[in-house]
Amino acid sequence: QVQLVESGGGLVQPGGSLRLSCAASGSIFSINAMGWYRQTPGKQRELVAIITRSGSANYTDSVKGRFTISRDNAKKAVYLQMNSLKPEDTAVYYCKTVFFSNPPSYPITSWGRGTQVTVSS
């Protein structure tokens, strides 16, 4: 059983910072891409940032220059450092991984259950 657990969400003032963490556990041979998505009421879940196994990162335009995604392959973890937070960043943030089971078969997508981030004064 593979499980993703997010942490680090909370309430922060505009301009503040938060660091989200996501750790994967279970029978995993390898993890390909890892990423963060977010969703607000009435909107579709949107991509925030993704990072490949080799460390190549991509961000949605609205967070470029403010957010930084990173990963620790040994710990099977992905992080999202969020700086200069804005009210529009308020959302439930979800961790996503694409992994291969152990033994490897085919790629499988797994989602965390989300962590709430609220940016408000």
Side-chain angles (χ1 to χ4, degrees):
Q1 183 72 32
V2 174
Q3 184 177 26
L4 302 182
V5 180
E6 303 104 330
S7 63
L11 175 64
V12 65
Q13 298 180 97
S17 298
L18 285 174
R19 184 172 186 262
L20 304 183
S21 299
C22 174
S25 63
S27 184
I28 300 173
F29 179 76
S30 65
I31 299 176
N32 288 350
M34 304 185 77
W36 290 94
Y37 291 70
R38 65 187 180 188
Q39 187 169 23
T40 57
K43 296 183 179 180
Q44 289 186 269
R45 189 171 299 182
E46 66 172 343
L47 172 69
V48 177
I50 57 172
I51 185 169
T52 67
R53 184 174 180 81
S54 63
S56 179
N58 290 282
Y59 304 87
T60 189
D61 287 342
S62 63
V63 308
K64 288 181 179 178
R66 300 188 297 119
F67 292 9
T68 301
I69 188 171
S70 60
R71 64 188 287 171
D72 185 328
N73 291 334
K75 295 182 178 180
K76 300 176 183 176
V78 62
Y79 311 94
L80 186 67
Q81 178 66 47
M82 305 185 293
N83 299 325
S84 301
L85 284 162
K86 304 175 180 179
E88 52 262 44
D89 294 318
T90 296
V92 176
Y93 284 70
Y94 298 89
C95 175
K96 174 189 175 182
T97 68
V98 178
F99 69 95
F100 285 87
S101 61
N102 187 18
S105 55
Y106 53 89
I108 301 171
T109 298
S110 182
W111 291 88
R113 296 191 176 188
T115 183
Q116 177 71 48
V117 171
T118 302
V119 185
S120 177
S121 59

